Amino acid sequence: MITTNQNKQIKQILKLKKNARERKKEKMFIVEGIRMFREIPEDQFVKAYVTEDFFREHNELFQQKDTEIVSDSVMKEISDTMTPQGVLALVKMKEYSLDEFLGKHPLLLVLENIQDPGNLGTILRTGEGAGITGLIMSKDTVDIYNPKVIRSTMGSIFRVPFCYVEEMADAVDFLKKNDITTYAAHLDGATYTKENFKGASAFFIGNEGNGLTRQLTEKADKMIKIPMMGKVESLNAAMASGLLVYEARRQREEGGE
């Protein structure tokens, strides 16, 4: 049993938990909790760390898996939650190419400088529910492997293709080359329910406080907005994303796609 946070493995976990650069360098991230643990694809699993009580109760989960028992105090140290469930795993990152985003009827979300981990995780999870075929993010968007993002995805991190791009202009060029209509979420746009999303579509969603940059907005084929009543100016980025992708799904189901 590992009983000290001075252990070499524990030190590595702490680095991975706190540092996006370390995660990128090691090409690994952390998954925590039984539900997320069950979701880990076999080819991405690296190693499990569990408390003695958890191991005893869920022994069947760890058959033929590289597993370390850790003390309750060590688990509390490496956990990113207030009340650890007793299981944490190291997982290999998976890399996607933009070509994998196309699918049969492409439906993409393109995020520019989203900063809230909960927003990003919810966007990915909601996107999976609506059937998006990929998620494209600007390089200044919060790290998708941040433990808070991982938790918010509830497993969607393992099922939805995603990538970061150095230059958003390159992402737009890719979309245009593949005949994907691009829509910028903007206050000056047309009401989103008036548009037709049955064809290949990509929605641009901007930073929580500032929205989309002018440069990216101008590159979009069309501007759309979610109409507001009262004194509300805009919706949370995750909520806005959800409304747009579910409207696309509704239209596609009505149209027989």
Side-chain angles (χ1 to χ4, degrees):
M1 179 188 289
I2 298 176
T3 59
T4 172
N5 59 13
Q6 296 306 305
N7 176 279
K8 185 178 178 182
Q9 295 180 65
I10 301 306
K11 283 183 175 181
Q12 183 194 32
I13 292 172
L14 291 171
K15 283 183 182 178
L16 291 171
K17 180 174 88 166
K18 296 172 183 174
N19 195 311
R21 190 174 297 160
E22 187 72 16
R23 293 191 286 267
K24 191 172 183 180
K25 176 184 147 195
E26 298 295 332
K27 297 190 182 307
M28 281 194 301
F29 63 101
I30 295 169
V31 160
E32 196 173 341
I34 187 168
R35 179 171 176 174
M36 288 289 290
F37 185 83
R38 291 182 191 275
E39 298 266 8
I40 301 170
E42 287 293 330
D43 62 346
Q44 287 181 258
F45 176 83
V46 178
K47 192 166 189 174
Y49 295 83
V50 297
T51 60
E52 195 169 22
D53 287 345
F54 191 95
F55 184 79
R56 194 180 297 119
E57 187 178 349
H58 301 282
N59 184 268
E60 77 286 351
L61 289 177
F62 306 102
Q63 301 302 314
Q64 299 181 327
K65 275 186 165 56
D66 192 0
T67 305
E68 289 276 5
I69 308 292
V70 301
S71 66
D72 290 347
S73 61
V74 168
M75 180 58 72
K76 191 168 184 180
E77 185 76 18
I78 60 178
S79 172
D80 194 57
T81 61
M82 292 294 289
T83 53
Q85 291 185 37
V87 60
L88 177 150
L90 297 183
V91 182
K92 291 178 192 171
M93 293 180 178
K94 185 172 181 178
E95 294 185 3
Y96 297 93
S97 69
L98 285 172
D99 289 336
E100 293 177 71
F101 291 29
L102 298 177
K104 189 177 178 184
H105 300 294
L107 177 60
L108 305 173
L109 280 168
V110 181
L111 309 183
E112 185 181 41
N113 193 23
I114 295 295
Q115 291 302 297
D116 183 85
N119 271 346
L120 180 54
T122 302
I123 287 169
L124 190 66
R125 182 183 177 195
T126 306
E128 181 186 13
I132 67 169
T133 56
L135 180 72
I136 299 173
M137 297 167 282
S138 64
K139 64 182 179 182
D140 53 3
T141 292
V142 64
D143 180 23
I144 200 166
Y145 295 111
N146 178 306
K148 291 181 175 61
V149 178
I150 299 294
R151 282 202 304 278
S152 297
T153 71
M154 299 293 284
S156 296
I157 186 85
F158 299 126
R159 297 183 292 269
V160 179
F162 58 85
C163 75
Y164 287 87
V165 290
E166 282 295 312
E167 298 294 337
M168 292 299 271
D170 294 339
V172 176
D173 290 343
F174 166 81
L175 297 171
K176 290 185 183 299
K177 187 177 82 173
N178 288 282
D179 299 319
I180 297 172
T181 305
T182 53
Y183 299 89
H186 196 280
L187 294 175
D188 293 332
T191 299
Y192 76 110
T193 51
K194 307 293 186 187
E195 294 292 337
N196 184 338
F197 306 128
K198 291 179 182 178
S201 305
F203 298 113
F204 294 174
I205 305 292
N207 174 267
E208 292 90 345
N210 302 314
L212 290 167
T213 59
R214 181 173 56 81
Q215 294 94 320
L216 187 57
T217 301
E218 289 176 350
K219 286 182 177 296
D221 296 314
K222 298 181 180 182
M223 292 194 301
I224 54 174
K225 70 177 179 183
I226 298 167
M228 299 286 125
M229 297 185 72
K231 294 185 178 181
V232 177
E233 290 185 359
S234 63
L235 293 177
N236 166 281
M239 176 68 76
S241 300
L243 285 172
L244 296 177
V245 292
Y246 268 95
E247 173 62 16
R249 176 178 174 172
R250 182 192 68 78
Q251 291 185 15
R252 292 171 178 208
E253 287 179 345
E254 279 189 356
E257 293 185 9

